Amino acid sequence: MEASSSGINNGKTKVFHAEGGVDLQGYQLDMQILPDGPKSDVDFSEILNAIQEMAKDVNILFDELEAVNSPCKDDDSLLHPGNLTSTSDDASRLEAGGETARERNKSNGLYFRDGKCRIDYILVYRKSNPQTEKREVFERNIRAEGLQMEKESSLINSDIIFVKLHAPWEVLGRYAEQMNVRMPFRRKIYYLPRRYKFMSRIDKQISRFRRWLPKKPMRLDKETLPDLEENDCYTAPFSQQRIHHFIIHNKDTFFNNATRSRIVHHILQRIKYEEGKNKIGLNRLLTNGSYEAAFPLHEGSYRSKNSIRTHGAVNHRHLLYECWASWGVWYKYQPLDLVRRYFGEKIGLYFAWLGWYTGMLFPAAFIGLFVFLYGVTTLDHCQVSKEVCQATDIIMCPVCDKYCPFMRLSDSCVYAKVTHLFDNGATVFFAVFMAVWATVFLEFWKRRRAVIAYDWDLIDWEEEEEEIRPQFEAKYSKKERMNPISGKPEPYQAFADKCSRLIVSASGIFFMICVVIAAVFGIVIYRVVTVSTFAAFKWALIRNNSQVATTGTAVCINFCIIMLLNVVIERVGSVPSTSAPLYSTEQPRTESEWENSFTLKMFLFQFVNLNSSTFYIAFFLGRFTGHPGAYLRLINRWRLEECHPSGCLIDLCMQMGIIMVLKQTWNNFMELGYPLIQNWWTRRKVRQEHGPDRKVNFPQWEKDYNLQPMNAYGLFDEYLEMILQFGFTTIFVAAFPLAPLLALLNNIIEIRLDAYKFVTQWRRPLASRAKDIGIWYGILEGIGILSVITNAFVIAITSDFIPRLVYAYKYGPCAGQGEAGQKCMVGYVNASLSVFRISDFENRSEPESDGSEFSGTPLKYCRYRDYRDPPHSLVPYGYTLQFWHVLAARLAFIIVFEHLVFCIKHLISYLIPDLPKDLRDRMRREKYLIQEMMYEAELERLQKERKERKKNGKAHHNEWP
């Protein structure tokens, strides 16, 4: 067999391609560069045999000698050399810079006064605050834990005191081991799946063709931005006993800034400030006002006088601003590794999910736009719209009591045409497509999340590092039981106590949902009352469009009520650390359990609050009104609102369009506009009091304190906004095909708005770890299932798709012929309208006009939308046979549609594996290599000890190895 070995040296790595054989000599040479392996004392014969077998199926990518033997760079060393004015400089650079480096560190506000100790965390309080004793005890216990502390007065207000905290190496190492912080200990060795000769030739041809194409504009330019290169090392939980296994280039930068802040925050959450089981943790001190704020520092300014392409990034914050938060890079991919490095895995996963969701919206928006354009192009050929526009002799009954006049059916011509844009032959296809799209989106996100979790070392994180909440620990510290996994005693909450607390909390949410339903009931009353008022309005424009005016104003009022109730639930729910009645009753064991509980309850309320009116319009409006002469009334007083003569779908479209646009506009303003205004107002007050140039001399902690704090609910608001948008995009998409397009346009802006907000307008949030998006994934799956059901009902009940289909196959000109074209719809409008005798009106429903303005004589009959017998039949106004045919067809369509779509969804879920095959192979390979590396490192340590004992004359004959 032919063997070929080719190495490509790009300054970083060498790639060896094996296509059936192995060049053993080449591998023997390269075995000398295995990471920190012994050079002479270890026999490599077994390892060489294993590599020889493995090389038949894979191509191995080795790092070259310098890259492997040298330790991984720390995060701060990735920045452009010479411009690290706001990041952690290593010790050698400080020594080389001498007093200049220390003075620079003092001036930038990121270090203690000595210029050596980096600030890991900031606490802020006011001297006038009466909680002095609690602070003193708390700070005394902080020092007892080994943290170093300095205090500075504010340059703006001498009453404000900043407490600067620094964690020495000993404290970091001790708590990193307790928290199971994973740290690098070897560079990764990659392998690529073997490619056959035929596939390799195809790849070469494709590569040649791509040279003639322009470079992908959405990719970040790593040549001009070298700081985007990331480390790639194997990691393991930090252990002080095995510290020699880890790559420690410099103790000051071994733990990056985000990790240091997380460790310090972990310590602060477990320090007592007063005697008592509940007197523990920084959160409680923030709640009772002992401290005003607590936050880690940003790494300097996000702006620079020099271009990043010529001088490099000043710090990580500046790098994120230029390649992520700047509006000039709106079309580029997100640098997720940089986001994760600066803000932590939890925020990084949010932006990864948001980017994935936005990318998946492109096909949905394209198909939705196609459905809308199909309606535009077929508008002139729609037989139903033609008949409505030409029906000048059909007089419709009034839609409200007394004040509403008779109207020609042709007066609703415009509304009939608009309805056709959204309710046409492609609507059913689009509803099925969106149901399948939602499944594909979720299944491929699972695969994407698995890749991210692997790259970010989150695969085994949850089992290893889930921590008990300090509040839970303090509440149930007296009752303990053994943890079945760790075998250690931990606080225990009785099942009865948990159930009782859950019932009380759920009752609060149920009460708030009842308030939302009551608000919807108020909107219904407003609609039935206002339609008569608008019908008697002086302005002809409003009088002639009373139903549209009623719907538009009701939607706007509904939006205001939605926003008001959102504020109420936030005030009632408040933050979990407070004594708010809605959430303080529960005591979840871990932080993730609390987040899941809080998220589920808040989402249920917000979802019902946002969509309750939409559900009413889609499934109840005009369905239970009765018929002329026997109208159903609300509280036996107000006549229920009827649909427009062109159908109820136009009301649903208006509801969705207005709510979606207003909600997204309001959210974007509150996310960015509100913090901008607040920060501008703060800067304005500072300039008025201290001069316009005083801000430049502020230290970093002062600048960050003047920024807005991150929302108390963390990423909840960001996720909630997108999940509710996902619901709008899928649940009623059959009625509004343009929803995916509006969502796509909003999300393109949303990504940069959120990035700009995190980088420039908010204090730096604490870097938290997370394995996935949490309970939000289950909520997305629930919305996907609900969307199938609602779209089936929208098509069957709200739209006229089923009645038209029944008419075409059973009652139209093509009945019995198996056709359903536009020629088969002739006479549909007349067949869908029933006849009513005007003399049968109730006294309180009889209109003021007798209709003589249409024909010169009083009208005897008018028409209304329903399938009922005429007044002179044996059973006046009874249901016709066509009504029962339509009803049966609607029920049959719902059952068939749901079962068909659910089968397709489950089939797709089964066919798409959650874990990509190449990732599964990489994980197995990595596990094997880690075991080998740990064995080699331990063997090398034992051999060194053996040599030392021999030198000291303490060797024994029975020692091992």
Side-chain angles (χ1 to χ4, degrees):
M1 297 178 64
E2 294 182 0
S4 64
S5 177
S6 61
I8 303 174
N9 191 348
N10 60 357
K12 289 263 180 201
T13 58
K14 290 184 178 179
V15 184
F16 293 86
H17 297 282
E19 298 182 357
V22 182
D23 185 352
L24 294 180
Q25 183 178 2
Y27 275 95
Q28 289 169 356
L29 291 175
D30 284 323
M31 289 309 298
Q32 304 302 320
I33 65 170
L34 282 172
D36 295 342
K39 302 292 188 296
S40 58
D41 296 333
V42 179
D43 185 9
F44 284 95
S45 60
E46 296 182 3
I47 301 177
L48 286 173
N49 292 333
I51 293 178
Q52 183 176 0
E53 292 296 328
M54 181 188 64
K56 295 179 181 180
D57 297 318
V58 299
N59 301 325
I60 303 178
L61 176 66
F62 286 102
D63 288 337
E64 75 171 353
L65 180 61
E66 293 80 9
V68 176
N69 286 336
S70 64
C72 294
K73 296 180 182 178
D74 300 306
D75 283 342
D76 290 331
S77 63
L78 289 175
L79 297 175
H80 194 278
N83 291 278
L84 299 172
T85 57
S86 298
T87 57
S88 297
D89 299 326
D90 50 37
S92 60
R93 188 174 301 169
L94 282 174
E95 292 175 0
E99 295 299 326
T100 304
R102 294 182 183 180
E103 290 298 326
R104 185 172 67 247
N105 290 339
K106 293 179 183 179
S107 63
N108 61 23
L110 297 175
Y111 290 82
F112 277 19
R113 299 188 191 98
D114 59 5
K116 295 181 179 180
C117 298
R118 185 180 181 90
I119 300 173
D120 297 322
Y121 213 80
I122 291 290
L123 302 177
V124 186
Y125 70 89
R126 292 181 180 270
K127 290 189 294 185
S128 57
N129 189 284
Q131 307 282 354
T132 306
E133 185 177 351
K134 294 180 180 179
R135 282 197 306 270
E136 290 178 352
V137 174
F138 187 72
E139 292 172 3
R140 191 184 312 124
N141 292 333
I142 287 177
R143 295 189 183 94
E145 288 292 334
L147 297 179
Q148 298 179 9
M149 183 187 303
E150 271 189 2
K151 293 187 177 182
E152 296 277 355
S153 297
S154 171
L155 299 179
I156 302 175
N157 187 350
S158 59
D159 188 44
I160 298 176
I161 303 298
F162 295 95
V163 180
K164 301 178 290 183
L165 300 178
H166 169 76
W169 168 257
E170 294 76 14
V171 176
L172 292 173
R174 183 171 70 252
Y175 278 94
E177 185 172 0
Q178 292 181 14
M179 298 169 63
N180 289 322
V181 177
R182 301 183 69 91
M183 300 305 295
F185 69 94
R186 288 292 186 275
R187 261 194 193 282
K188 282 187 177 179
I189 300 176
Y190 289 95
Y191 78 99
L192 303 174
R194 178 192 175 208
R195 292 187 177 274
Y196 295 95
K197 291 183 178 180
F198 176 73
M199 297 300 297
S200 299
R201 291 173 183 174
I202 293 178
D203 289 342
K204 290 180 181 179
Q205 296 298 329
I206 293 176
S207 299
R208 291 177 182 176
F209 175 73
R210 285 177 177 174
R211 293 175 185 174
W212 297 94
L213 298 177
K215 294 182 178 180
K216 294 183 179 180
M218 292 184 293
R219 292 191 180 276
L220 294 167
D221 191 356
K222 293 187 178 182
E223 294 181 359
T224 55
L225 295 176
D227 299 324
L228 292 177
E229 298 177 2
E230 280 288 337
N231 292 323
D232 220 354
C233 299
Y234 292 120
T235 62
F238 182 77
S239 173
Q240 290 182 317
Q241 292 181 350
R242 298 183 177 181
I243 196 171
H244 54 278
H245 290 173
F246 295 91
I247 302 171
I248 304 180
H249 184 60
N250 179 13
K251 290 185 177 181
D252 292 336
T253 56
F254 177 63
F255 296 103
N256 60 30
N257 298 329
T259 303
R260 296 173 67 98
S261 299
R262 184 158 59 93
I263 293 175
V264 173
H265 180 78
H266 174 86
I267 298 172
L268 297 178
Q269 287 293 84
R270 281 153 179 80
I271 292 180
K272 282 194 172 185
Y273 60 86
E274 203 173 70
E275 290 300 326
K277 63 179 183 179
N278 292 329
K279 312 300 183 181
I280 183 175
L282 176 63
N283 283 348
R284 292 184 177 273
L285 289 176
L286 291 171
T287 302
N288 61 31
S290 299
Y291 289 99
E292 275 198 357
F295 52 89
L297 288 179
H298 278 296
E299 298 183 3
S301 175
Y302 63 89
R303 295 184 182 275
S304 176
K305 297 179 180 179
N306 303 317
S307 172
I308 191 174
R309 298 183 180 275
T310 57
H311 292 75
V314 176
N315 52 59
H316 290 152
R317 189 186 184 193
H318 178 220
L319 181 61
L320 277 174
Y321 177 79
E322 291 292 339
C323 66
W324 182 50
S326 176
W327 293 103
V329 294
W330 66 269
Y331 59 93
K332 291 186 177 293
Y333 294 132
Q334 300 182 85
L336 295 177
D337 289 331
L338 291 179
V339 177
R340 172 243 183 175
R341 185 173 64 188
Y342 193 82
F343 292 110
E345 287 80 3
K346 197 169 189 177
I347 294 177
L349 272 172
Y350 163 71
F351 282 102
W353 176 84
L354 180 57
W356 184 259
Y357 171 46
T358 304
M360 289 293 292
L361 278 174
F362 275 95
F366 176 78
I367 299 298
L369 183 61
F370 169 79
V371 171
F372 179 78
L373 295 178
Y374 173 81
V376 174
T377 55
T378 59
L379 183 60
D380 296 335
H381 306 286
C382 179
Q383 180 64 30
V384 176
S385 299
K386 287 181 180 180
E387 291 186 0
V388 171
C389 294
Q390 296 171 2
T392 56
D393 56 339
I394 296 180
I395 307 301
M396 301 298 294
C397 296
V399 295
C400 67
D401 293 338
K402 292 186 179 181
Y403 300 108
C404 291
F406 296 98
M407 59 178 296
R408 289 188 174 92
L409 180 59
S410 58
D411 293 342
S412 61
C413 176
V414 175
Y415 303 110
K417 291 182 177 180
V418 173
T419 301
H420 177 74
L421 299 180
F422 303 100
D423 184 14
N424 51 64
T427 302
V428 178
F429 159 76
F430 186 58
V432 175
F433 170 82
M434 287 302 297
V436 174
W437 172 87
T439 302
V440 172
F441 161 66
L442 293 177
E443 291 300 320
F444 276 97
W445 163 248
K446 284 195 289 188
R447 293 167 61 88
R448 173 63 176 159
R449 186 209 64 82
V451 174
I452 292 175
Y454 170 78
D455 291 338
W456 292 356
D457 271 325
L458 300 173
I459 296 294
D460 300 323
W461 171 77
E462 185 174 2
E463 290 77 9
E464 295 177 355
E465 302 177 50
E466 191 68 25
E467 301 168 4
I468 299 177
R469 296 176 66 240
Q471 293 84 354
F472 180 89
E473 197 170 5
K475 180 73 174 177
Y476 299 100
S477 58
K478 293 183 179 180
K479 185 181 293 186
E480 294 184 345
R481 74 171 183 178
M482 299 297 293
N483 188 307
I485 298 175
S486 64
K488 299 178 181 179
E490 65 178 18
Y492 169 69
Q493 182 183 15
F495 179 76
D497 181 69
K498 181 185 296 185
C499 289
S500 60
R501 291 176 178 276
L502 183 62
I503 291 173
V504 173
S505 180
S507 301
I509 288 293
F510 179 75
F511 172 76
M512 294 304 299
I513 291 177
C514 292
V515 172
V516 173
I517 296 175
V520 174
F521 186 75
I523 294 293
V524 172
I525 294 178
Y526 169 82
R527 293 174 70 102
V528 299
V529 171
T530 310
V531 66
S532 300
T533 304
F534 283 152
F537 215 73
K538 296 181 179 179
W539 294 349
L541 179 63
I542 295 179
R543 185 173 63 250
N544 297 333
N545 299 277
S546 58
Q547 282 189 297
V548 177
T550 300
T551 301
T553 55
V555 172
C556 294
I557 295 174
N558 183 35
F559 174 76
C560 295
I561 293 176
I562 289 172
M563 293 294 102
L564 179 62
L565 289 177
N566 286 345
V567 174
V568 171
I569 193 65
E570 289 179 1
R571 292 290 182 267
V572 173
S574 190
V575 189
S577 59
T578 66
S579 58
L582 201 57
Y583 301 108
S584 61
T585 54
E586 284 194 75
Q587 286 290 346
R589 176 178 172 273
T590 63
E591 199 68 26
S592 61
E593 289 179 4
W594 172 82
E595 288 184 1
N596 291 341
S597 174
F598 172 79
T599 298
L600 180 61
K601 289 181 290 188
M602 285 292 289
F603 169 77
L604 287 176
F605 171 80
Q606 299 272 10
F607 181 81
V608 173
N609 187 27
L610 183 64
N611 294 285
S612 54
S613 295
T614 308
F615 272 89
Y616 163 75
I617 293 174
F619 304 126
F620 297 98
L621 178 62
R623 302 286 177 265
F624 309 100
T625 58
H627 63 86
Y631 286 116
L632 297 179
R633 297 183 178 274
L634 196 63
I635 322 179
N636 199 27
R637 180 177 179 182
W638 294 297
R639 169 181 161 185
L640 292 177
E641 186 182 6
E642 292 185 37
C643 291
H644 197 272
S646 60
C648 291
L649 199 66
I650 186 67
D651 295 308
L652 183 58
C653 292
M654 288 182 62
Q655 172 82 11
M656 291 188 62
I658 295 175
I659 291 292
M660 194 170 186
V661 172
L662 289 179
K663 189 79 164 58
Q664 292 179 349
T665 304
W666 176 260
N667 287 338
N668 290 335
F669 169 76
M670 291 303 295
E671 287 183 3
L672 183 62
Y674 185 66
L676 278 173
I677 294 175
Q678 285 186 316
N679 292 334
W680 170 81
W681 183 254
T682 302
R683 292 192 300 269
R684 183 175 179 273
K685 290 195 299 184
V686 171
R687 286 195 299 267
Q688 289 179 348
E689 295 177 3
H690 302 278
D693 299 330
R694 188 68 181 273
K695 178 77 173 182
V696 180
N697 300 324
F698 285 174
Q700 190 62 41
W701 59 79
E702 191 96 37
K703 297 177 183 177
D704 288 3
Y705 176 69
N706 291 328
L707 296 178
Q708 297 303 307
M710 186 179 177
N711 193 301
Y713 302 103
L715 291 171
F716 172 79
D717 287 340
E718 278 70 26
Y719 272 117
L720 179 66
E721 178 186 356
M722 291 296 103
I723 300 300
L724 292 177
Q725 183 202 83
F726 179 80
F728 257 90
T729 306
T730 55
I731 292 179
F732 296 104
V733 73
F736 193 58
L738 293 180
L741 179 61
L742 294 179
L744 174 63
L745 297 177
N746 174 80
N747 287 7
I748 292 175
I749 301 173
E750 180 75 20
I751 291 176
R752 305 305 162 180
L753 277 179
D754 285 347
Y756 185 83
K757 175 181 61 180
F758 272 94
V759 174
T760 67
Q761 300 302 310
W762 276 3
R763 297 172 189 163
R764 185 176 183 176
L766 182 70
S768 303
R769 304 203 83 190
K771 189 176 181 179
D772 49 29
I773 62 175
I775 198 175
W776 292 113
Y777 184 84
I779 293 174
L780 287 170
E781 285 187 325
I783 291 176
I785 295 173
L786 180 63
S787 68
V788 177
I789 301 173
T790 53
N791 281 307
F793 276 87
V794 167
I795 295 173
I797 296 177
T798 309
S799 73
D800 290 336
F801 175 77
I802 298 300
R804 294 175 186 176
L805 209 61
V806 171
Y807 178 81
Y809 284 102
K810 185 66 178 177
Y811 298 96
C814 304
Q817 301 179 12
E819 298 181 8
Q822 291 297 327
K823 63 179 181 179
C824 301
M825 298 304 298
V826 176
Y828 167 76
V829 172
N830 185 63
S832 63
L833 299 176
S834 299
V835 179
F836 176 73
R837 187 166 47 208
I838 295 177
S839 60
D840 293 339
F841 265 124
E842 299 173 300
N843 291 332
R844 53 181 173 179
S845 298
E846 187 173 359
E848 293 181 348
S849 172
D850 57 2
S852 57
E853 64 271 16
F854 294 103
S855 59
T857 58
L859 291 176
K860 295 182 179 181
Y861 299 97
C862 63
R863 309 293 293 272
Y864 61 98
R865 284 173 56 91
D866 209 341
Y867 296 100
R868 293 182 180 270
D869 292 323
H872 50 75
S873 62
L874 295 177
V875 183
Y877 308 117
Y879 287 118
T880 63
L881 183 62
Q882 188 175 356
F883 169 82
W884 299 109
H885 284 165
V886 171
L887 179 62
R890 282 173 168 168
L891 296 177
F893 175 83
I894 292 172
I895 295 173
V896 172
F897 181 89
E898 288 181 355
H899 283 70
L900 175 63
V901 175
F902 279 133
C903 287
I904 296 175
K905 286 169 68 69
H906 285 92
L907 179 62
I908 292 175
S909 301
Y910 175 77
L911 294 177
I912 300 177
D914 295 343
L915 203 64
K917 184 179 182 302
D918 60 337
L919 177 60
R920 188 183 297 110
D921 294 339
R922 286 168 61 190
M923 292 170 61
R924 292 174 180 173
R925 175 65 179 165
E926 178 176 326
K927 185 177 181 180
Y928 167 77
L929 288 176
I930 288 176
Q931 292 175 351
E932 290 294 320
M933 290 176 183
M934 296 297 287
Y935 169 77
E936 290 174 4
E938 191 68 20
L939 185 61
E940 184 180 4
R941 184 182 66 84
L942 292 174
Q943 288 175 345
K944 288 181 179 180
E945 292 179 358
R946 178 185 177 183
K947 291 179 181 180
E948 291 179 359
R949 286 197 297 267
K950 285 183 178 181
K951 290 181 179 180
N952 298 331
K954 296 181 180 181
H956 299 280
H957 295 288
N958 60 347
E959 65 180 342
W960 184 89

